[in-house]
Structure formats: structure tokens, C-alpha cells
Amino acid sequence: MQVLEKTEIQPSELLNLYRDMKIIRLFEEKCSQLYMQGKIRGFLHLYIGEEAIAVGLASALNEDDHIITHYRDHGHALARGLEPRAIMAELCGKATGTSFGRGGSMHIFDASKNFAGGHAIVGGHLPLAAGLALAAKQLNEDRIVVCFFGDGALNQGEFHETMNLASVWKLPVLFFLENNFYGMGSHIDRTFAGGSKVHTIADRYKIPNSRIDGMDVLAVREASIDAIAKIRKTSKPYLLEAVTYRFQGHSMADPVTYRDRDEVDKWRPRDPIALLKEMLLEAGHASEKLIGRLDEEANLTVEDATQFAESSPDPDPNDLTKNIYA
Amino acid sequence: MAELTLRDAISLGLREAMDNDPRVIIMGEDVGAYNGAYVVTKGFLEEYGESRIIDTPISEAGFVGAGIGAAMAGLKPVVEIMTINFSLMASDQIINNAAKIHYMSGGQYSAPIIIRTVTGGGAGLAATHSQSFEGFYATIPGLKVLTPAFPDDALGLLRTAFKDNNPILYCEHALLYNVRGEIPDDSSFEVPFGKAKTRRNGSDITLVGYGRSVHTALLAAEKLQERNVDAEVIDLRTLRPLDIQTLIESTQKTHRCVVIEETWATGGFGSYVAYEIQKNAFDDLDGPVLHIGGLDVPAPYARNLEIMTIPNEQWILDAVEKEFGL
Ligand SMILES: Cc1ncc(C[n+]2csc(CCOP(=O)(O)OP(=O)(O)O)c2C)c(N)n1
Ligand SMILES: [Mg+2]
């Protein structure tokens, strides 16, 4: 088992974090275009602005660990190392997609990467996370479970039930709250009675917790390494709250009438990719030229995925009813 | 041949599975220290210990979801929902997660969970505690729904369920636990899904039921015999998969058919069964296929009122006389 130490991070690793965030950013921008062209249908929720969370966490996780997440899942899937081609093909509803065109944007799965979905019922996947951890514990496997969810899920009974179960049963789950302050158009101040230190809701369940800057990929990485080490050591849950912001609307259908431009502008300087770039340049870990090369690498990855998806075949209609039952 | 009650047949099936497969766990409210609300898991906690017989908090969504997650990650959980009325709190987990995960993941994940629950009215528990939702769950692709009415089927279906890789709702009627019946000694005895059973042979009319309504139909058949009407009684045994063929063949022979169930007649699962029969055996019918369901009223508490709401043998006799002149 690989135990990550929170030691000095290698410059090469920093560059990887940058590139991985950039891939997600460009991937999401491409999705937006494809959606406008009618090539992606249904709901499409972009992760733009929140990239540091998925990338920071993924860099701290072992391959055997499970990840389960909500519907804003492209970033988590890419960071986890799922094939960009297969994800893009899924979004385009193609036979070569992660679920062979059965799931779409909100339901990305890859069992080979222990990526247990993309789940589109707010709060609905939290109990599953407890179950994945229960199985690992019962089977004496050295795995933990990371469960991403949004601030909107805080108000679902399933969140509270799962916090309680995980604590009572001592389950190795990292509850990873992506607090971007909004559930669709509703600001957390109008929906959540637990106060501004949101993470402390876990205190009541005797689950240790902390809050981090979700725009700082290194902070996310370090906090994840710490939390995961605690979980492995104690086989008990932990809750991390990453404070973040989504720069786009909730989904492509969102005209964003509920917040003003000033608020978005206030967050712009906190763009996680720009922040890391600045840091890399200042610390002399990278030149503008090297950053340009990484950007190009990311761009090629996304172009290749898009090309693959667009040239892939539709699912075979004869397989429509395949996999209803195992 | 041993004679067992339906309750003991279920216990036997559960014990066998616990003994044969370490991946099997049993969880639910009061399944351990309390011995199960309907005393099906009596003595299990002492025998198998806390790690495999897990008492849960009263969190149906939480622990059913945890069971599904555990099933996705390699366990074979048996999750008891105290009664089917409380399955509503877990219906998100059953319908949106268990029934969907295999299809939506393109066959990558499956949820081999057995959800045991208690169904049916007639015990004076009034409107919130007397419902029969098995027919509703049977409308959902991805689930399998079992409704044993006799001890042999209870055991045989359970044995088959443990070999199946899909989410299964195993519905035990509260008033049938003490029904006694012969159980084959052969430990390889199993009951296949999707195969109805003819519990009584007859030539004049076919009576179709599931769960307790099979017993109601058998009582009606005895009374019909007194009128020289020879009724065939068919027990569906499993609602999904559903065996229509046996019903068609019987109806082609008897030319008359009545489908009986305890849930509300409006939109009842039996009305779909009746539709399939009339469509497929139309040319052989001497009259419409009848559907007898419960009265469209919240279950009342008082005994004299409650008995007016659940089909009994007299309802069947009256309908047969009125419609077919028998
Ligand atoms: C049970 C349920 N209710 C409502 C919705 C519709 N819905 C989809 S996303 C969303 C907001 C969720 O916000 P949050 O959890 O904060 O995640 P974010 O979109 O901010 O990442 C809502 C209300 C849903 N999918 N599921
Ligand atoms: Mg949010």
C-alpha cells in the first residue's frame, strides 16, 4: 500500500496537478460547445472553478480506494484517471462511452478504477458510500471510500442518516463536501440552518472535520492526505469541507438570475488554475513556455477525446434491454 | 418431508446461506437483539455474532442504501425492512439505486441485495401499517419481486435468490407466517423465478393470486366445489419475472379467469395481469377476465370496517356468480 507523506511535493508532481486541472477546464469548455451544437443532450453540469478539489483529492488516493460522487462528476472522473475518450463518448451517447451510452453526463462509472458513479439524486449516493465502506471493512480490505457531495445534499435526510451510520459503525469514509454556496439558485444562507462553519455539522455525529480552501490545489491535497491517513489509521469517517465556487451556471439551462456579476468577479482572482500557474512561475518551477506546453498537452487530450467521441458509433439498438438484469 | 411454518422455512433458508457463504450478512432494525420484529432471525445474533447480524438505526434510506453499496462491493447483504410501509423511506434507494445501477453503469456494477420485508393488511394496524406495495415495486425494471405464499416456496425462492445477482424484494405476508406446509428434504430443492405454480387443478374457472390472495382463492375454490364448479388456483409466486404463459394455458382450458389481490384495485398489479390474459387468451374466453382488488380506501382500524376492504372468498363467489352465472 502506498502511504503518501505530506512532505515536499516534487516540482514534477506540481506540473501534473496543473495539467490535470487544465484538462478538466478545457474538457468542460468543450462540453459546453458540444452542448450548444446539440451533440450532448440532457442536463450538463460543468465543474469549471472547482477543479482543484477533484485533482487535489485524487492525487492523495490509492487505486484500491472507492470514489463515489454526485452528478457534477466529469472532473472527478478525469482526475481519477478514467479515459477522457470514454467519458466524452458517454456524454455524446456513444457505444464507446463509459456506460456504453446508458448513463450520460450525470452517471459516469468505471468499475476498473473503483469509480462507483456519478449519481443524480441529490444525497442518494451517500448511503451507498457507507455500504462500500462496510463491505471493505467486512472483507478485511484495506480500502477507504471518498464520497463527494454538494452543499445542497446537506439538507437531505440521507446525508444525516449516513453520517450517523458511518460514525456508529466506524466506517472508513471521507465525506467530501464541495461547498460552492449554491444548490441550483438557492444560496446556502437561505437553505441551511447550521451556520457558516458548515463542516462542524459533523461534530454532532462525532466525526472529525475541517475546512479548506477548495481553490488551492495544494491545500486540498495536503488536507486529503491528512484526512485519508487518519481514516486508514482509525477506520473512522472524516468530513472535509472545501470552499469553492462554480463560475458557470448550475447547468447549461441556468440563466443565472440569482447572483450578480460582482460576486462572480470577486471570485475570479481565486481561479484555482490561475493560482497554481502563478505559484509555479513565481517559485521558478515552470516557465511561461513550459506552461504553454502543458496547456497544449491538455488541449490535445481534449481534442483527441472529442474526435474519438464524435467518430464513435451510436449504441446498437439491439442491445437496448441488455444489462437490465445481471 | 418435514413440515414447517412459513416463518421457519425463511429462517432455515437464511441460516443455510449464513452457513454457506461468509459474504452473507443480515442487517435491519431489530434483526439481532430483538430477534426480528416478526421473529424470523431468532437466535441469529448469538449464533453468528454482531459483525454479520447487524442491528441498524431507524434509518431505512441509510441502511438499505448501505446494503446496496455493500452489495456493489462484494457482499451479499440481506436487508430486512420491518414492513413494506417503511420501504417508502427507502424507495429512493430501491428504485433509483438498486434497480438502476447495473443498467446505468453499462453492466459494470450490480447490486445483489435481498430486501426482505413484511406486507399486507388485516391485522388492525390501520392506514399507515396495512399496505401492500409489492405490486408497485414489480412495475420497476431492474428489480425482482417474490411473494411466497407457502413454506416450500418461501424456502425454494430464497435459495434461488441467494444465487441471483440482482436486487430482490422478498415479500412476506404478515398473516402467513404460521402457515404450515411440507418442505422437500432434498437440499437441492429450489424454486425458479418466473414460474407460476398450480396449487389446485380444475376445469371450469381459473383463479389467480399471489401472497395471501392465493389462500383466499383456495378457500373460494372449496366453496365453488359445493356448487359443482371446479376451480383451478394458480399462485404467481414471483411478480417480476412474471409467468403469463401458465395463466394463458389455464384460461384456454377453463375459459374463465379471475385475478385476485389485496392492494387497492385501482392500478393494481393484478389489473395488468388481467390485461395480459385477456389479450392472449381472448378467443378462448367465455366472459371478461375479472380483477378483484382491495377497496379504494385507507385501511380502517375497526375490525368490522377493515374486513370490508380486503377481498375474501365471498367476494370471489359473488363475482363469479354475477359475471359467469356459476
Ligand atoms: C432529490 C433531488 N432533488 C432535486 C434535484 C434537482 N437538483 C439537481 S442538482 C440540485 C442542486 C444541488 O446542489 P449541490 O448539492 O450544492 O451541488 P452543486 O450543483 O452545487 O454541485 C438540485 C436541486 C435532484 N437531482 N435530486
Ligand atoms: Mg452547491
Side-chain angles (χ1 to χ4, degrees):
Chain A
M1 186 195 73
Q2 179 198 8
V3 181
L4 284 167
E5 295 287 343
K6 198 178 57 179
T7 49
E8 295 287 279
I9 179 167
Q10 296 296 316
S12 65
E13 174 77 0
L14 286 171
L15 298 179
N16 286 343
L17 296 177
Y18 176 83
R19 187 206 49 211
D20 290 352
M21 287 199 289
K22 191 74 181 194
I23 288 175
I24 296 174
R25 176 69 53 95
L26 297 182
F27 189 95
E28 298 293 60
E29 288 172 357
K30 178 59 78 176
C31 286
S32 176
Q33 287 171 20
L34 294 175
Y35 192 87
M36 304 293 195
Q37 296 167 13
K39 291 176 180 164
I40 295 177
R41 32 197 323 262
F43 287 142
L44 176 66
H45 309 90
L46 303 178
Y47 199 57
I48 292 175
E50 308 188 27
E51 296 92 342
I53 301 175
V55 170
L57 176 278
S59 75
L61 207 60
N62 287 349
E63 278 183 8
D64 280 348
D65 297 326
H66 296 286
I67 293 191
I68 187 163
T69 183
H70 55 166
Y71 50 87
R72 196 180 297 284
D73 59 355
H74 312 166
H76 306 127
L78 287 164
R80 183 52 165 172
L82 275 69
E83 281 298 326
R85 285 179 162 197
I87 301 170
M88 193 60 97
E90 186 63 30
L91 302 190
C92 293
K94 296 303 181 80
T96 52
T98 41
S99 292
F100 318 109
R102 304 308 195 271
S105 162
M106 303 192 287
H107 310 111
I108 305 290
F109 289 82
D110 188 343
S112 74
K113 297 271 194 281
N114 292 311
F115 194 83
H119 293 266
I121 303 295
V122 172
H125 64 295
L126 277 86
L128 300 183
L132 295 171
L134 178 68
K137 197 171 160 164
Q138 205 83 19
L139 298 168
N140 277 319
E141 295 171 341
D142 180 27
R143 302 176 199 251
I144 69 145
V145 179
V146 176
C147 177
F148 287 107
F149 58 101
D151 45 287
L154 290 167
N155 304 319
Q156 278 287 21
E158 283 159 326
F159 166 74
H160 295 272
E161 293 186 23
T162 305
M163 294 289 282
N164 186 57
L165 281 181
S167 184
V168 171
W169 290 348
K170 300 185 175 53
L171 299 177
V173 182
L174 175 56
F175 293 99
F176 210 126
L177 165 58
E178 298 181 318
N179 183 4
N180 59 15
F181 300 99
Y182 289 93
M184 290 187 66
S186 300
H187 194 275
I188 188 168
D189 289 348
R190 294 195 291 125
T191 57
F192 179 70
S196 59
K197 290 182 180 165
V198 179
H199 59 102
T200 60
I201 189 150
D203 287 343
R204 248 351 197 164
Y205 298 102
K206 300 204 160 42
I207 295 178
N209 56 84
S210 50
R211 166 184 272 180
I212 49 174
D213 178 359
M215 299 310 221
D216 177 349
V217 68
L218 294 179
V220 175
R221 185 184 139 90
E222 293 209 351
S224 300
I225 291 171
D226 277 352
I228 289 169
K230 274 202 191 79
I231 294 168
R232 284 198 210 287
K233 196 159 138 235
T234 59
S235 182
K236 283 186 191 165
Y238 194 98
L239 183 142
L240 263 183
E241 175 194 358
V243 176
T244 184
Y245 199 75
R246 64 166 157 72
F247 288 124
Q248 308 275 317
H250 165 72
S251 72
M252 296 299 289
D254 176 7
V256 201
T257 52
Y258 47 84
R259 65 184 190 192
D260 49 37
R261 222 167 240 299
D262 290 354
E263 185 183 291
V264 184
D265 288 344
K266 203 183 91 215
W267 278 92
R268 283 277 172 219
R270 304 290 306 144
D271 183 317
I273 299 177
L275 284 179
L276 182 62
K277 176 175 166 184
E278 204 177 302
M279 180 273 204
L280 288 172
L281 292 173
E282 268 177 24
H285 292 312
S287 59
E288 285 281 3
K289 200 168 151 213
L290 178 54
I291 295 283
R293 266 214 335 261
L294 294 173
D295 288 350
E296 189 45 28
E297 205 182 305
N299 186 42
L300 287 176
T301 302
V302 172
E303 286 305 323
D304 171 72
T306 308
Q307 231 255 309
F308 174 82
E310 296 203 77
S311 60
S312 287
D314 287 341
D316 183 346
N318 292 318
D319 290 341
L320 174 64
T321 57
K322 212 174 123 184
N323 288 325
I324 296 174
Y325 291 99
Chain B
M1 287 272 199
E3 204 193 59
L4 287 183
T5 61
L6 188 133
R7 170 185 288 107
D8 289 342
I10 299 169
S11 292
L12 175 65
L14 293 174
R15 273 181 198 285
E16 284 176 359
M18 289 293 290
D19 291 338
N20 293 338
D21 185 352
R23 297 175 314 137
V24 175
I25 59 169
I26 296 179
M27 51 199 260
E29 290 158 19
D30 290 305
V31 294
Y34 191 92
N35 287 321
Y38 288 82
V39 212
V40 172
T41 48
K42 188 171 181 206
F44 279 46
L45 179 60
E46 291 88 90
E47 194 166 338
Y48 300 105
E50 286 196 327
S51 69
R52 296 182 67 201
I53 306 296
I54 304 173
D55 278 325
T56 67
I58 305 166
S59 308
E60 283 81 7
F63 70 75
V64 172
I68 297 163
M72 288 166 65
L75 293 186
K76 182 80 188 177
V78 179
V79 174
E80 177 175 319
I81 301 178
M82 198 177 276
T83 82
I84 204 162
N85 305 286
F86 319 141
S87 77
L88 297 179
M89 335 324 276
S91 55
D92 171 40
Q93 293 300 323
I94 298 169
I95 297 169
N96 282 322
N97 287 342
K100 305 293 193 290
I101 210 93
H102 191 67
Y103 191 82
M104 220 163 53
S105 69
Q108 297 184 76
Y109 281 92
S110 52
I113 182 177
I114 299 174
I115 298 171
R116 285 184 45 237
T117 191
V118 179
T119 188
L125 300 174
T128 60
H129 276 57
S130 303
Q131 302 169 101
S132 304
F133 291 127
E134 57 273 24
F136 160 64
Y137 284 110
T139 64
I140 295 165
L143 294 181
K144 295 191 178 182
V145 178
L146 320 182
T147 53
F150 288 89
D152 54 350
D153 287 340
L155 178 63
L157 289 171
L158 194 51
R159 282 181 177 154
T160 306
F162 275 106
K163 293 183 177 167
D164 198 283
N165 260 329
N166 296 285
I168 291 169
L169 199 66
Y170 183 94
C171 304
E172 305 162 17
H173 196 294
L175 300 184
L176 296 182
Y177 278 120
N178 293 324
V179 167
R180 305 185 74 85
E182 298 282 323
I183 305 271
D185 292 326
D186 182 359
S187 66
S188 67
F189 162 75
E190 285 171 17
V191 173
F193 296 169
K195 192 81 202 72
K197 176 160 180 162
T198 305
R199 281 277 169 190
R200 185 184 198 280
N201 287 302
S203 52
D204 296 330
I205 187 165
T206 300
L207 307 180
V208 179
Y210 61 88
R212 183 155 170 262
S213 68
V214 179
H215 295 269
T216 310
L218 285 167
L219 285 175
E222 293 304 314
K223 296 265 173 67
L224 284 169
Q225 199 68 65
E226 293 166 15
R227 298 185 192 166
N228 276 328
V229 176
D230 190 17
E232 183 144 295
V233 176
I234 298 179
D235 178 356
L236 291 175
R237 301 199 293 190
T238 68
L239 303 189
R240 190 182 269 270
L242 178 65
D243 174 10
I244 290 291
Q245 196 53 37
T246 299
L247 311 182
I248 296 169
E249 283 164 18
S250 174
T251 305
Q252 283 170 339
K253 180 179 73 176
T254 63
H255 311 297
R256 301 174 188 93
C257 184
V258 187
V259 182
I260 307 119
E261 65 184 339
E262 295 196 342
T263 194
W264 302 294
T266 302
F269 187 74
S271 55
Y272 167 69
V273 174
Y275 158 75
E276 285 287 347
I277 296 167
Q278 69 81 22
K279 185 179 69 172
N280 291 293
F282 189 75
D283 291 342
D284 295 287
L285 284 168
D286 278 357
V289 177
L290 303 185
H291 171 230
I292 298 178
L295 214 63
D296 277 334
V297 62
Y301 166 69
R303 181 188 297 276
N304 71 318
L305 298 179
E306 188 183 40
I307 56 173
M308 294 168 66
T309 66
I310 305 172
N312 58 32
E313 64 271 27
Q314 195 57 47
W315 293 28
I316 301 173
L317 296 176
D318 291 349
V320 167
E321 186 168 7
K322 178 164 173 262
E323 208 57 57
F324 304 119
L326 293 176

